[in-house]
Amino acid sequence: MTDENQNEVGGIAADRLRSLIERIERLEEEKAAIAGDIRDVFAEAKSAGFDVKIMRAVLKLRKMNAADRDEQEFLLETYRKALDI
């Protein structure tokens, strides 16, 4: 049996699978740390008097491309007019 065959279990390369799983676990840990940092920044913004809900809306808009943003604003305005608000 070669080393390559010894690392296979049921046709699965165990070392490769373990490596991928461990990388994902490290990335998940980093993601959790980053999420904590983002929460801290929102808490800082809130303590400085900024409206966090509006900040989240602005972030969402900034992620959209211009055409999608324009379409959303047009539809929102159309719905407002239809409902007299």
Side-chain angles (χ1 to χ4, degrees):
M1 234 190 217
T2 67
D3 285 340
E4 186 175 310
N5 289 340
Q6 289 176 346
N7 291 329
E8 285 192 20
V9 178
I12 296 173
D15 288 343
R16 178 73 172 140
L17 177 60
R18 181 177 293 106
S19 172
L20 292 168
I21 294 295
E22 289 171 353
R23 283 174 51 200
I24 292 169
E25 288 172 339
R26 281 192 302 276
L27 290 169
E28 289 288 343
E29 290 172 5
E30 291 175 24
K31 183 170 75 169
I34 290 170
D37 292 345
I38 291 170
R39 278 191 302 275
D40 292 345
V41 173
F42 277 119
E44 179 183 340
K46 186 175 182 176
S47 69
F50 293 101
D51 187 320
V52 172
K53 185 176 178 181
I54 300 302
M55 289 178 62
R56 289 184 189 278
V58 169
L59 287 166
K60 183 179 175 183
L61 289 171
R62 287 173 55 105
K63 288 180 185 178
M64 299 171 76
N65 68 43
D68 290 341
R69 190 172 45 244
D70 290 344
E71 180 183 3
Q72 182 177 350
E73 289 173 3
F74 173 77
L75 289 172
L76 181 59
E77 185 60 28
T78 300
Y79 287 14
R80 283 181 174 166
K81 287 178 182 176
L83 298 171
D84 279 335
I85 54 174

